[in-house]
Amino acid sequence: SSTATDQIPNAMASEAAVDTPPPKAANVAVAKTAADAATSQSFRLFLLVLMVLQNSATVLVGRYTRASVSPEDSYVVNHLIVICEAAKFFLSCLLEYNATSGQLYKSMKENIFDRPVDALKIIIPSLLYLVQNSLLYVALSNLSAPLFQVTYQAKLLTTAVVSTIMLNRRYSFKQWICLSLLGVGVAIVVLGESGSKDKDAKAESAESKTDETADASDAEESAGDGKQNLFVGLVAVSIACLSSALAGVYFEKVLKKPTNEGGAARAPVSLWMRNIQMAFFSVCIGFIQYMGLKGDDAKKPFMHGFTAWVYVLVSLQAGGGLLVAAVIKYADNVLKGMATGVSVVFGSICAVFLFGTELSGQFFTGAALVLGSVYFFSNELPCKSAKTLETDKATEMKPLVLPK
């Protein structure tokens, strides 16, 4: 009987050993979770750095392609857009072909031909981007360049507001302040650059004009100013900001949210398939705009003025479109906007070495605001209290740079 009695606690001990996971296994699981989080944050940061570089390169190459040739030899912007979207469509097809192990047609059949209503969702952001681009021309025609640059920075705050409504995303008070300061900083940088250009242009024109010619030019400028409508310009830029925010956030929601099929949840369509759909609709819209071209642009043959540098610009634009979609999927639209703000500063610094652009104290003030806002948007303030830190844990945005 003593042997049977001794076996009872031994059996209980063995059961406890089976039910209780070893401490090392729990530590390994925690370490793996932390490593996955660090990898995710590092990947997001990598995407945003790539976007800063791509935006800066696109602006610099685009500026060179427009400034290095005469207006008669310059390409038509609509032609460039159509070719860029066609290249994006081709690249997306290649990436989807690789992701599906050669089953591109099957993927297109499942996600486009068999589900046309779901595919038509992507026409909404395409049309919103068309509205945005059209209204930007209206705004530029009715607002001065500095006023347009300042008001258009409201798209950062508009995107954040739309994200809170459509995606239930939350931001702390500090992050709202950073977004506001980021817009102010970008406006200061752009205004400083445009101001220096205006001074140089006025100095050059003053040297080449007689007094009579200058008076006639001033009369023409004042007459042109009289044609501008401030109210129409502000309404146009406001709707353009809202259209940009709605298009970006809607596309983010389509990329990240699962779709419903017969009441059952279905995994989200792949990133590259959504890009195929978006590029297809964009090409169609581009061709419609091409048919409606007027003036000198309508007289130029298709792809007129496409030099080697223009094809470099096409590559940057097409690759950038795919990069933007990846940033939206793995980060979000607000961080995309912040990366765009940083690219304005980075591009201006590059212009110093490439084009001899002079930087003023106004630029450095705006650059400090932009970079500081981007950093503190995703990282805690140095003097933050422990109580505030606990409150901010409820916000969705996580630091891009993890502490070591």
Side-chain angles (χ1 to χ4, degrees):
S1 63
S2 61
T3 303
T5 305
D6 293 339
Q7 289 177 351
I8 293 176
N10 291 337
M12 294 177 61
S14 62
E15 290 178 0
V18 172
D19 294 338
T20 306
K24 290 184 179 180
N27 293 336
V28 169
V30 172
K32 184 178 180 182
T33 303
D36 291 342
T39 302
S40 176
Q41 300 291 352
S42 300
F43 182 64
R44 292 170 62 198
L45 181 61
F46 173 71
L47 287 177
L48 294 174
V49 170
L50 279 183
M51 188 171 180
V52 170
L53 297 176
Q54 183 272 335
N55 278 346
S56 302
T58 300
V59 170
L60 294 172
V61 174
R63 177 179 174 183
Y64 177 77
T65 58
R66 301 296 284 183
S68 60
V69 296
S70 62
E72 294 78 14
D73 297 328
S74 181
Y75 58 87
V76 180
V77 175
N78 173 264
H79 299 176
L80 178 70
I81 293 174
V82 172
I83 295 300
C84 287
E85 294 300 326
K88 191 190 303 180
F89 178 85
F90 179 72
L91 287 175
S92 299
C93 287
L94 288 180
L95 291 168
E96 180 70 9
Y97 179 87
N98 180 69
T100 57
S101 301
Q103 301 295 320
L104 175 62
Y105 176 76
K106 180 181 178 182
S107 177
M108 295 182 71
K109 183 178 182 300
E110 292 178 352
N111 296 292
I112 298 178
F113 305 122
D114 293 344
R115 299 178 180 86
V117 176
D118 181 71
L120 284 174
K121 291 180 180 179
I122 303 301
I123 201 173
I124 296 177
S126 300
L127 291 175
L128 286 171
Y129 282 129
L130 175 62
V131 171
Q132 173 200 351
N133 293 330
S134 302
L135 288 174
L136 288 182
Y137 286 106
V138 176
L140 283 169
S141 301
N142 290 277
L143 298 176
S144 63
L147 183 57
F148 170 79
Q149 294 289 358
V150 172
T151 52
Y152 192 51
Q153 300 311 317
K155 65 181 180 180
L156 293 169
L157 286 175
T158 308
T159 302
V161 171
V162 174
S163 296
T164 60
I165 296 173
M166 294 183 63
L167 301 176
N168 296 321
R169 187 165 288 145
R170 292 179 294 174
Y171 300 99
S172 66
F173 178 74
K174 179 204 70 173
Q175 289 174 324
W176 286 110
I177 294 296
C178 287
L179 287 173
S180 303
L181 291 178
L182 176 66
V184 172
V186 172
I188 290 175
V189 169
V190 175
L191 288 176
E193 184 177 352
S194 61
S196 62
K197 290 180 181 178
D198 292 341
K199 289 180 181 178
D200 294 340
K202 288 180 179 179
E204 292 177 0
S205 61
E207 292 177 357
S208 59
K209 284 182 181 178
T210 61
D211 293 338
E212 183 178 354
T213 307
D215 293 339
S217 177
D218 292 340
E220 291 177 1
E221 290 179 1
S222 61
D225 293 340
K227 296 179 182 178
Q228 292 184 341
N229 189 317
L230 179 63
F231 177 76
V232 172
L234 291 177
V235 170
V237 77
S238 300
I239 299 177
C241 290
L242 181 60
S243 300
S244 175
L246 286 172
V249 175
Y250 178 85
F251 188 55
E252 179 181 351
K253 184 174 183 178
V254 170
L255 281 177
K256 293 181 177 179
K257 300 295 182 181
T259 57
N260 291 325
E261 182 179 353
R266 179 170 171 263
V269 180
S270 71
L271 172 64
W272 310 127
M273 178 53 64
R274 288 303 189 191
N275 271 282
I276 291 173
Q277 298 167 354
M278 173 79 87
F280 174 77
F281 291 125
S282 298
V283 169
C284 294
I285 292 172
F287 268 114
I288 293 174
Q289 290 179 315
Y290 170 71
M291 300 301 294
L293 288 177
K294 298 179 181 179
D296 295 335
D297 289 345
K299 298 177 183 178
K300 295 180 179 179
F302 191 69
M303 296 180 66
H304 170 79
F306 272 55
T307 62
W309 279 108
V310 177
Y311 285 108
V312 172
L313 182 60
V314 169
S315 302
L316 288 171
Q317 290 275 32
L322 301 180
L323 180 60
V324 165
V327 170
I328 290 175
K329 181 174 179 63
Y330 296 107
D332 60 61
N333 273 279
V334 173
L335 292 179
K336 175 179 74 71
M338 301 187 81
T340 304
V342 174
S343 68
V344 172
V345 177
F346 184 74
S348 299
I349 295 174
C350 292
V352 173
F353 302 98
L354 297 176
F355 304 110
T357 305
E358 295 183 1
L359 300 181
S360 62
Q362 189 173 348
F363 168 83
F364 291 105
T365 301
L369 280 175
V370 170
L371 299 178
S373 300
V374 170
Y375 178 80
F376 288 115
F377 180 87
S378 300
N379 294 275
E380 306 300 343
L381 296 172
C383 56
K384 205 157 194 181
S385 63
K387 183 178 179 180
T388 310
L389 287 174
E390 289 294 329
T391 304
D392 284 351
K393 285 183 180 179
T395 59
E396 181 174 333
M397 300 305 299
K398 305 298 182 183
L400 284 177
V401 182
L402 295 176
K404 295 182 180 179

